[in-house]
Amino acid sequence: MNEPARSKLDLLHFARRVVIQQATAAVAQIDTWIAQEEERLAHRREVEAMRPPPADWLLERGLNKTNLVAVHVGGCWTVRKSSRCIGVSQQQALDALRQQVPACTHCRPDTELGILD
């Protein structure tokens, strides 16, 4: 029927318990997010470790994929992830330059290989 009046001290203790409960839940949520992010980063590192190293030299094929249009250094920024480029050995890059396949004007593989026009 009539509930006894709660004192201000009782209300403050109640408020403290609520805040602790909410803070504990928030910390648990953040810990979950941290664990998920650590797992995602670990997986990314594993994938990167399994990826083969990039080729030192690239030959860029034309749109019909048969003619060669340029020789590139492996890290050339103009190539990006083009499906028209294939990784080749240093000797193959040299041979292509000697067979008049143009050198990329940005990465200058002819200079890197010691062949100058």
Side-chain angles (χ1 to χ4, degrees), residues 42-58:
H43 182 262
R44 177 182 275 176
R45 283 190 295 271
E46 288 174 12
V47 168
E48 288 293 324
M50 292 177 2
R51 182 173 290 148
D56 291 332
W57 308 100
L58 299 170

Side-chain angles (χ1 to χ4, degrees), residues 33-117:
W33 292 337
I34 289 170
Q36 289 171 344
E37 183 64 13
E38 287 172 342
E39 185 177 315
R40 188 185 67 77
L41 291 174
H43 182 262
R44 177 182 275 176
R45 283 190 295 271
E46 288 174 12
V47 168
E48 288 293 324
M50 292 177 2
R51 182 173 290 148
D56 291 332
W57 308 100
L58 299 170
L59 289 180
E60 183 178 356
R61 299 176 291 190
L63 292 176
N64 65 4
K65 304 225 185 227
T66 58
N67 62 324
L68 299 176
V69 295
V71 178
H72 297 274
V73 173
C76 181
W77 64 271
T78 61
V79 174
R80 293 193 177 90
K81 293 185 179 179
S82 173
S83 62
R84 294 181 5 206
C85 288
I86 54 172
V88 295
S89 67
Q90 181 176 355
Q91 186 59 48
Q92 290 170 309
L94 278 168
D95 292 343
L97 289 170
R98 288 185 183 126
Q99 294 170 8
Q100 304 304 311
V101 175
C104 173
T105 57
H106 301 284
C107 64
R108 300 304 305 187
D110 50 350
T111 304
E112 290 282 329
L113 292 168
I115 298 176
L116 298 174
D117 294 334

Side-chain angles (χ1 to χ4, degrees), residues 5-17:
R6 297 193 178 193
S7 71
K8 186 174 183 179
L9 182 61
D10 289 339
L11 293 174
L12 288 172
H13 281 295
F14 174 75
R16 182 179 186 278
R17 286 192 307 270

